[in-house]
Amino acid sequence: MSVKQELEATIRQMVQPGKGILAADESAPTIASRFAPVDVESTEQSRCNYRSMLFTSPGIEDYISGVILFEETLGQSSIEGKPLPELLAQRGIVPGIKVDKGKGPLAFSPGDLITYGLDGLAERLQHYKTQGARFAKWREVYSISEHNPSPLGIAANAEMLARYATVCQEQGIVPIVEPEVLIDGDHSLARCAEVTEAVQQEVFNALHRHHVALEHIILKPNMVLPGKDHSVRASAEEIAAATMAVFLRTVPAAVPSINFLSGGMSPEESTENLNAMNAGFPNVPWLLSFSYGRALQQPVLQAWQGKDENAIAAQQSLLKRARLNGAAQRGEYQSRMETSD
Ligand code: 5MM
């Protein structure tokens, strides 16, 4: 298979109506902070047990087409001794890998962040591929304040995303391009729209400059939302309209799928907002779907509490959120479905 055929096959399998992506790529400090409220100590074994439980949930393959893994998970096996990426692949779910190495301050650009991890990326991808990874993910993060993100922050982050995406495509790995404008702060919906538009514009300029094949990427952005401390909340319809206005202006039709992150929205809100986009904008050129971490996993952690006897209930809560988000991808979700089973 040529590299182009590999990329096409992966996109075909990942971009399917009614399906989205599970983000299970929490780094060690993040997963520890997710486990802490349910009193689970984060160890190599507890992380493996938890993720094995997620990936063996019966029925999720009907709604989940890909899972983003953390490097450690790519090398772990289930209790039966099956490598976790293989277990996913056998269920028709594409395994992927988060390849960025975290973020830190962007020099001479107060308040802006930049993500690390380009050095040696091609070699790392070759190794991850032998472990079963067929797509990758890289996240750049933008905080909103009066002066941030700065023009330099926007340009530098876009350049990183584009350089990462080219290395992935050269290796036959589909890049998920994730520019996340954070929900933190008291900014308005309009300010988030302004920043998200500038960010997306620059990301696509950079992807174009670096000859990235847009047909072979998945975009993973934030929705356009008021900051979490803003005084005025927005309805799902307002969020859908503001988000679609920005993406219709900035994202070329060649991109096959936009898989939103949940970014601190509640599980129900993130489903409702995705549904409002699909119900209100059925003729956009891309699939509009999900790549949720917290919004899929919060109810699972609550149900699990680290106890084996809760595993079935935890798996059922993952299946429920996956199914409701699958319905939202089709614009068929209704809030009464939250309680109807
Ligand atoms: C699952 O969390 C991912 C990894 O975060 P860290 O690198 O901080 O451990 C994160 O990149 C995630 O894939 C996206 O932010 C989307 O997750 P949410 O929870 O926002 O849907």
Side-chain angles (χ1 to χ4, degrees):
M1 225 197 284
S2 70
V3 160
K4 183 166 177 242
Q5 286 168 330
E6 269 183 309
L7 295 169
E8 280 168 357
T10 302
I11 287 286
R12 250 196 319 279
Q13 201 178 338
M14 292 181 72
V15 181
Q16 295 186 50
K19 293 191 182 185
I21 296 168
L22 165 64
D25 58 313
E26 298 87 355
S27 56
T30 304
I31 194 73
S33 72
R34 304 277 188 267
F35 279 179
V38 294
D39 228 8
V40 176
E41 191 191 349
S42 178
T43 63
E44 201 177 327
Q45 194 55 52
S46 67
R47 294 190 291 271
C48 183
N49 292 346
Y50 172 66
R51 286 164 171 156
S52 301
M53 178 184 75
L54 292 179
F55 306 159
T56 53
S57 300
I60 57 164
E61 65 276 14
D62 292 340
Y63 311 104
I64 302 288
S65 60
V67 175
I68 314 171
L69 304 171
F70 185 58
E71 190 176 18
E72 173 190 76
T73 319
L74 201 60
Q76 288 178 325
S77 298
S78 66
I79 286 177
E80 296 73 32
K82 184 166 294 212
L84 294 181
E86 192 180 317
L87 187 149
L88 289 168
Q90 279 182 352
R91 304 186 67 189
I93 299 174
V94 185
I97 169 84
K98 182 245 290 295
V99 296
D100 65 69
K101 291 200 167 284
K103 55 195 180 323
L106 177 63
F108 299 136
S109 198
D112 290 323
L113 298 167
I114 194 83
T115 294
Y116 314 121
L118 280 180
D119 288 349
L121 179 59
E123 293 72 25
R124 282 166 60 213
L125 287 171
Q126 284 157 15
H127 177 62
Y128 297 146
K129 217 173 161 182
T130 65
Q131 295 179 289
R134 291 172 56 199
F135 71 92
K137 192 204 84 172
W138 182 292
R139 173 171 168 247
E140 293 291 338
V141 176
Y142 309 75
S143 309
I144 298 187
S145 70
E146 200 184 332
H147 303 292
N148 297 103
S150 71
L152 174 61
I154 290 174
N157 281 278
E159 189 70 11
M160 294 299 276
L161 283 168
R163 289 182 59 199
Y164 140 81
T166 54
V167 179
C168 288
Q169 289 191 341
E170 240 182 11
Q171 300 299 328
I173 295 272
V174 166
I176 294 189
V177 173
E178 182 179 0
E180 176 175 4
V181 177
L182 295 175
I183 198 173
D184 305 317
D186 61 1
H187 53 269
S188 65
L189 180 83
R191 173 79 175 129
C192 180
E194 174 187 56
V195 170
T196 305
E197 184 169 339
V199 163
Q200 293 297 335
Q201 189 87 59
E202 195 59 33
V203 166
F204 281 93
N205 280 341
L207 294 176
H208 176 73
R209 209 166 45 242
H210 285 266
H211 313 294
V212 173
L214 297 184
E215 294 78 2
H216 304 147
I217 70 163
I218 290 175
L219 181 67
K220 175 168 174 167
N222 55 288
M223 294 182 196
V224 174
L225 304 165
K228 73 173 189 269
D229 300 324
H230 189 62
S231 50
V232 185
R233 303 321 303 155
S235 69
E237 287 68 31
E238 287 167 333
I239 289 165
T243 305
M244 286 299 95
V246 165
F247 287 89
L248 283 165
R249 285 184 197 142
T250 53
V251 181
V255 172
S257 190
I258 301 180
N259 290 57
F260 290 95
L261 55 90
S262 59
M265 287 182 278
S266 73
E268 294 78 10
E269 270 176 308
S270 53
T271 307
E272 200 188 345
N273 293 343
L274 177 64
N275 187 69
M277 286 188 257
N278 281 301
F281 298 83
N283 298 319
V284 293
W286 338 272
L287 190 85
L288 296 174
S289 190
F290 58 93
S291 175
Y292 295 160
R294 282 163 288 180
L296 284 168
Q297 293 186 58
Q298 256 167 27
V300 183
L301 286 162
Q302 283 304 326
W304 180 50
Q305 305 275 331
K307 300 193 176 102
D308 286 348
E309 62 268 31
N310 295 336
I312 291 177
Q315 290 181 324
Q316 283 168 347
S317 64
L318 177 62
L319 177 62
K320 175 180 172 183
R321 287 261 56 93
R323 182 168 49 75
L324 296 181
N325 284 303
Q329 192 298 306
R330 296 180 184 277
E332 293 170 358
Y333 164 82
Q334 292 175 5
S335 56
R336 65 174 169 74
M337 294 160 88
E338 294 287 347
T339 48
S340 62
D341 56 9

